[in-house]
Amino acid sequence: PFTDNVTFKQRPKLLHRANGVHYYLEDDTRILDGMSGLWCVNAGHGQPKINEAIKSQLDKLDFAPSFNTSHPLPFQFADKLLKLLPEGAFKEVFFTMCGSTAVDTALKIALAYHKACGNDEKVRFIGRERGYHGVGFGGIGVGGIPLNRKAFTGNMLPFLDHIVHTHSIPDMAFSRGLPKWGVHLAEDLERVIQLHGAASIAAVVIEPVAGSTGVLVPPVGYLERIREICTKHDIMLVFDEVITGFGRVGSSFATVEFGVTPDIITCAKGLTNGVVPAGAVICHPRIFQSIQEAAHRSPGTQIEFFHGYTYSGHPLAMAAGLATLEVYEEQKVFENVKALSPFFEELLHSKIKGLPYVVDIRNCGFMAAVEVEPIEGWPTKRSLDVFDRCFQKGVMLRATGTTIALSPPLVCEKQHLEQMVDVLAASLKESAVALSN
């Protein structure tokens, strides 16, 4: 998936086991996991409490359908999740299988809500350029990464538009944390609303920090302004927190960290520490209440929301999720990010800034990206070369476009962060020499 398979098969990188913050190859070579798997193994690999919870649940209840029946764990897990968010701001949780299915579910919920409120014409979704919202047709539609959309444009969802992204190297290069420039970019949402009319727009879908495109951190005041505009025009705001949820930016969610409350949150990845696939959609109290009331205006049994998955609330995923939240709390995982984020930031900017072909560094919590100058005719060659060199030196990062992304496990210690950045610096230097020849 998302791989040049010809190149991969020539030099396959096969991981054989994992423990703590490391992977191990077949020959027992140790690889520092600088990406938390794929933004998801927040508490590190092989957490005993999570593993034991899954094993125990497997012996008790391996599967239970969620259509007209259920089991206790989804309700317990939902209650625990809601405690990570501002009191009273959210009430209902819909469990899915992953981030992609969470996003598509959120879009359906937004449509169902507006229909329940008598606003059938509110069917348009507004995404953002360079946004990533998974691989379902809904997520691709509101997503804004061109190559992800290119192969499927012939069958894209109708009624879509996008606001401008928030990145400008001339204006914000090497910002530490939230850039001070760029709040005015939120006004592009007003332009799109004026173009289509607020009465036609169901929801705005954005990542608080855009991850997969290369860690685009929101400018100071930007998210607040997006919230104000959505409220003004009765448009739902969806935060895709698949990456930023569960401590990645320092607090439980970016919603908490930035003090901006959307109507819907999508999450996955760190939801179960990546051990069992799962996603969730978390909603404002009025949303399901409105959908439920509309469905029961007529007498008789009614299905409120015609949507669901075979694996919604899967017992193993719920057990893993409950144990994961306990690990986050007991090991003070979010607190570790808060404590070490300034150290990580200083490492990046002191050791990487000024190296050949480095044009930007972006960071927020335990998310970071180093952008490199593209090579004409092969823009990703430099980042892929750096990725390979880091792996050979025992650190796994991620090449995405013209950036090298870092997403350390949230349980990392100072020496792990130092190793990641030192290896990245050495690889950037080597790559600059090799590719200039």
Side-chain angles (χ1 to χ4, degrees), residues 343-344 347 366 408 413-421:
F343 178 77
F344 186 40
L347 275 178
F366 268 24
E413 299 174 3
K414 285 185 176 181
Q415 66 264 28
H416 302 129
L417 300 175
E418 288 176 324
Q419 181 185 350
M420 285 177 208
V421 176

Side-chain angles (χ1 to χ4, degrees), residues 91-168:
K91 185 180 179 183
E92 308 293 344
V93 180
F94 192 106
F95 289 109
T96 72
M97 299 177 295
C98 60
S100 294
T101 51
V103 169
D104 279 19
T105 298
L107 300 182
K108 286 186 174 182
I109 289 173
L111 291 175
Y113 168 74
H114 288 301
K115 187 175 182 64
C117 294
N119 298 320
D120 291 32
E121 69 280 9
K122 277 185 167 285
V123 295
R124 188 177 301 277
F125 294 110
I126 309 301
R128 186 171 59 186
E129 296 171 351
R130 297 189 66 173
Y132 180 78
H133 302 289
V135 296
F137 273 98
I140 294 172
V142 293
I145 298 178
L147 288 177
N148 290 356
R149 297 166 55 89
K150 186 176 180 180
F152 311 105
T153 52
N155 287 291
M156 202 64 67
L157 295 182
F159 311 123
L160 298 167
D161 208 338
H162 297 77
I163 58 175
V164 296
H165 63 75
T166 60
H167 187 223
S168 173

